[in-house]
Amino acid sequence: RQRQMCIRDRYFKKSKSWIHQRLNGYIVNNKPACFNTGEISTLATALEEIAEEIQNVAKDLKKTIASEKEGMIKLKKGKEES
């Protein structure tokens, strides 16, 4: 939900109902609401940027796990040497 608001706020500057109407194809003024070509391009860019952000977070998490494992190994070796 928060990410949807982020897309709406960051890329479209439109109301919550506006994006819901287009995502769900609701009937507005007797025709299905849809994105125009420019809005589809904007949505594609938004999804690409969000995907990149998610990949960066995943990489950071893997680095965190690796450094924690390294720390655990050092702690374990330190106990063995005592």
Side-chain angles (χ1 to χ4, degrees):
R1 183 174 170 190
Q2 183 179 7
R3 185 56 64 185
Q4 179 185 16
M5 291 181 69
C6 180
I7 289 172
R8 179 175 54 91
D9 293 339
R10 270 172 67 179
Y11 298 94
F12 291 104
K13 310 278 191 273
K14 302 282 187 173
S15 70
K16 183 178 177 180
S17 60
W18 179 90
I19 200 160
H20 277 276
Q21 290 166 352
R22 277 141 191 84
L23 288 172
N24 296 303
Y26 292 157
I27 303 300
V28 178
N29 298 324
N30 295 321
K31 58 184 178 180
C34 59
F35 294 103
N36 64 33
T37 305
E39 293 163 345
I40 291 170
S41 178
T42 299
L43 181 58
T45 298
L47 294 172
E48 289 170 342
E49 290 177 5
I50 291 167
E52 185 178 343
E53 291 172 19
I54 291 169
Q55 289 176 335
N56 289 338
V57 169
K59 288 175 187 176
D60 289 345
L61 289 172
K62 287 180 179 180
K63 287 178 187 176
T64 300
I65 290 169
S67 66
E68 285 181 3
K69 282 183 180 177
E70 188 177 306
M72 295 289 276
I73 291 168
K74 286 179 182 177
L75 284 173
K76 195 173 185 181
K77 284 182 180 179
K79 287 181 181 177
E80 291 173 359
E81 293 174 1
S82 299

